Amino acid sequence: FTTQELFQRNGIYYGLNGISHNLIMFNRLSLLSPNGFILGKPGSGKSFAAKREIISVLLNDPNADVLIIDPEREYTALANGFDGEVIHISADSPCHLNPMDLSDNYADDDNPISLKSDFIMSICDLLSGGLQRGQNSIIDRVIRLSYEKHFNKNSNSVPTLNDFYDILIEQPDPEARSLALSLELYIKGNLSVFAHHTNVDTTKRFVIYDIRDLGKQLRTLGMLIVLDQIWNRITENRALGKHTYIYIDEIQLLFSNEYASNYFFELWSRSRKWGAVPTGITQNVETLLLSDEARRMLSNCDYIMMLNQATSDKLELAQLLSISERQLNYVSNVEAGSGLLFAGKSIIPFVDKFPRDTELYKMITTKLEEVTSFQSRALENSKSK
């Protein structure tokens, strides 16, 4: 394990080299594929590391947007400090995202309706518990009819899942009626939060999609629909020459459904061409590695930040990423904020001790005792004033 240095002009600070103690300054856009993962067990500093990188992007790259899928409401304080937009999504939320939204560049040279049809199939498969034979063809037919009806009426109009459902129940096939019954709860019933036109502003430079209150029934669906909204933003940004940084916390949730994992794998594969920089964050590495798509994504990543690892996860990752036993020492029983940074062909141990007596630290930390202490002090200060 030889000492390597990583110091690039216009790079982002990632801590100190664990061997030489020199600064690590690195620009992910310099990699062949900037896609990445941040992996570590609870308390290892995963979300802290992600927030450090997000802050650096916001401060150093004015031509980049940052979008976050937040299942645990860990990024709200950061949004408040950096003029971000937090979109709360839940079964009873007034905030709506339309999964049938379609930007002008949604599919580049491909047929955008065909690409959207694949996405709606993913949703239907997820909500119905598995599509029956022939239902794929019915979905494709109904999608085409839905967009034809609205584009003929008004070129600026986009259909919703309500429109999709109304056309679906008009189809003569028994498989269509069966599918409509499976979807009714999520389109006409109490869980119809995604069956309406988008009514929130998703155009800010820094946007957090807060899906904590969706619950287990809608969590994976919510992540999938937010990803499609993000894809619309990616296509718009590429036309403007802008990069889009995407952070997906609890990313293992996306691989619990075949269609969802396939859709995300496709987005991940196409991201560099479209100027996107996706990052998956998880503490459940073992669950993530149960997916073949996730294993392929990890093994082909040029950027991985590994923090303190559980024993079982560490052994799996060592085999997948060809990590030596000596290198594993840097992710075994180490302090929070320490680990291994994979950057292209470089594998560098790092340590990152952030000063705690700063406003930035208050925005970044998720330790309960620290968050409670900061809130108590703020309350006392406001009372004294």
Side-chain angles (χ1 to χ4, degrees):
F1 188 64
T2 57
T3 303
Q4 293 179 298
E5 299 293 351
L6 188 58
F7 193 95
Q8 297 178 346
R9 183 174 294 180
N10 300 321
I12 287 174
Y13 173 73
Y14 283 88
L16 299 178
N17 189 308
I19 298 174
S20 68
H21 304 294
N22 291 326
L23 294 174
I24 298 174
M25 302 294 291
F26 165 59
N27 183 358
R28 284 176 65 176
L29 298 179
S30 66
L31 297 171
L32 289 175
S33 173
N35 302 358
F37 282 91
I38 300 176
L39 311 172
K41 68 181 188 179
S44 62
K46 296 182 308 302
S47 61
F48 197 101
K51 291 171 189 175
R52 292 271 278 107
E53 185 176 76
I54 289 166
I55 289 170
S56 295
V57 171
L58 291 172
L59 293 178
N60 294 300
D61 190 349
N63 200 37
D65 292 341
V66 177
L67 312 176
I68 301 171
I69 301 179
D70 183 7
E72 298 297 338
R73 198 163 293 159
E74 293 188 47
Y75 297 84
T76 301
L78 199 62
N80 294 337
F82 284 85
D83 191 32
E85 182 76 17
V86 181
I87 299 173
H88 295 280
I89 307 169
S90 66
D92 57 354
S93 172
C95 300
H96 299 303
L97 296 173
N98 181 9
M100 297 186 73
D101 282 344
L102 202 62
S103 71
D104 293 338
N105 300 302
Y106 187 80
D108 202 11
D109 296 330
D110 299 326
N111 184 346
I113 305 299
S114 296
L115 190 59
K116 180 59 71 171
S117 179
D118 286 341
F119 174 64
I120 300 301
M121 284 181 198
S122 303
I123 290 178
C124 293
D125 178 75
L126 182 64
L127 298 181
S128 65
L131 293 175
Q132 300 174 15
R133 185 175 181 181
Q135 288 182 335
N136 282 9
S137 297
I138 293 171
I139 293 169
D140 184 67
R141 181 201 314 162
V142 173
I143 286 292
R144 284 186 282 105
L145 290 172
S146 298
Y147 282 104
E148 283 175 11
K149 178 181 176 181
H150 281 261
F151 288 154
N152 289 338
K153 185 193 304 182
N154 181 351
S155 60
N156 294 320
S157 176
V158 177
T160 66
L161 286 182
N162 268 306
D163 300 306
F164 172 85
Y165 181 89
D166 292 341
I167 295 176
L168 179 64
I169 59 175
E170 294 174 354
Q171 304 307 303
D173 317 83
E175 294 85 0
R177 290 190 292 275
S178 173
L179 179 60
L181 182 61
S182 298
L183 300 179
E184 184 177 342
L185 172 64
Y186 303 95
I187 299 178
K188 299 294 185 180
N190 291 329
L191 301 181
S192 60
V193 63
F194 297 115
H196 312 283
H197 285 289
T198 298
N199 66 351
V200 291
D201 182 8
T202 60
T203 61
K204 265 202 170 182
R205 187 187 174 212
F206 184 26
V207 179
I208 292 90
Y209 294 93
D210 183 335
I211 61 172
R212 191 182 75 168
D213 296 331
L214 273 175
K216 290 184 178 180
Q217 269 190 301
L218 288 173
R219 180 69 63 88
T220 304
L221 173 65
M223 293 181 79
L224 194 58
I225 289 174
V226 169
L227 273 175
D228 193 63
Q229 288 286 325
I230 289 173
W231 178 250
N232 276 307
R233 182 69 173 273
I234 290 170
T235 61
E236 292 168 0
N237 279 354
R238 190 183 77 153
L240 298 171
K242 299 173 66 174
H243 285 99
T244 310
Y245 286 77
I246 308 143
Y247 295 84
I248 307 106
D249 219 332
E250 302 292 347
I251 194 175
Q252 77 282 352
L253 295 173
L254 281 170
F255 296 96
S256 60
N257 171 270
E258 182 182 356
Y259 272 108
S261 62
N262 287 341
Y263 179 81
F264 181 62
F265 182 77
E266 180 69 17
L267 183 150
W268 187 275
S269 302
R270 303 176 71 194
S271 59
R272 179 169 179 81
K273 174 185 174 183
W274 292 81
V277 186
T279 304
I281 307 164
T282 184
Q283 63 187 19
N284 298 312
V285 177
E286 196 168 4
T287 302
L288 185 71
L289 293 177
L290 292 175
S291 164
D292 289 337
E293 285 84 2
R295 296 181 74 92
R296 287 165 60 193
M297 289 161 61
L298 263 169
S299 60
N300 292 321
C301 261
D302 280 349
Y303 171 83
I304 300 174
M305 181 176 280
M306 284 178 60
L307 296 119
N308 198 23
Q309 299 291 318
T311 302
S312 57
D313 295 339
K314 179 175 59 179
L315 296 175
E316 284 275 359
L317 289 169
Q319 185 176 5
L320 182 68
L321 303 174
S322 302
I323 306 172
S324 72
E325 197 165 325
R326 186 173 179 185
Q327 289 169 327
L328 284 178
N329 291 332
Y330 290 96
V331 292
S332 304
N333 300 316
V334 294
E335 294 182 0
S338 302
L340 283 175
L341 178 65
F342 292 69
K345 296 181 180 180
S346 302
I347 305 177
I348 300 174
F350 68 90
V351 293
D352 181 23
K353 295 184 178 180
F354 197 90
R356 301 191 177 196
D357 56 342
T358 62
E359 290 300 316
L360 272 181
Y361 185 84
K362 294 175 186 178
M363 294 181 201
I364 298 175
T365 184
T366 54
K367 291 182 179 179
L368 180 60
E369 63 277 11
E370 292 180 338
V371 172
T372 304
S373 174
F374 293 145
Q375 289 174 343
S376 299
R377 287 183 207 167
L379 183 61
E380 288 174 6
N381 291 337
S382 63
K383 286 180 178 178
S384 64
K385 291 178 182 178

